[in-house]
Amino acid sequence: MALRKIATIGHPVLRETARALTREDLASDRTQGLIDDMVATMRDANGAGIAANQVHEPVRICVVEVNKNPRYPYKPDWPLTVLVNPVVEATTDETFMNFEGCLSVPNLRGQVPRFAGVKVRAWDRAGSDVAFEVKGLMAGTFQHEVDHLDGTLFVDRVADTRTLCTWADFERFHMSDFAARARALVARFGS
Ligand code: ZN
């Protein structure tokens, strides 16, 4: 297992549409090793998720995990989830404003409208079909990760660029309001 270097905004790999994998691609040592490295890299950087093109591999894999994350203290814990060829589909028209950050966009956060519920369909790392619904705050996380695989960064979806802020100023000026809204979403949806 190795930590991979994370591509930052401006690197063309983040703007590529990542390539779908076959089950044979997925079973290869190369791809299984990539998944292990993505999990290690996400944990090392305190990310809530990471997509393969963020570590310079433009294939359709992303991972999500929240375990008392210091970057996102209001996020509920979420078990390690590996998604291959994922598709997200909104299950509601309701949206909420999510204050997002990204390992590939250092030191910047901004408010992004996200659907309050999505159905996720994918394969797991063994190639088995998985499908589940995600509601609330975590629905935003899955939309963010799958966006990466289509070459989209959260900054592309920031509705009002005046909400962009540094992490320090987020904590100083915006964290308490957003954390209250986030906790209300979590109380309502359970995640
Ligand atoms: Zn990201």
Side-chain angles (χ1 to χ4, degrees), residues 49-51 54 72 100-105 144-145 148 152-154:
I50 201 165
Q54 289 184 273
Y72 303 101
E100 300 194 8
C102 180
L103 296 175
S104 292
V105 185
H144 176 119
E145 296 310 326
H148 273 299
T152 297
L153 297 173
F154 84 85

Side-chain angles (χ1 to χ4, degrees), residues 10 20 26-27 44 50 75 84 87 115 117 123 148 169 172 182 189:
L26 176 59
D44 178 70
I50 201 165
K75 271 195 185 182
V84 179
V87 176
F115 290 109
W123 296 341
H148 273 299
D169 284 329
R172 189 170 167 207
F189 291 113

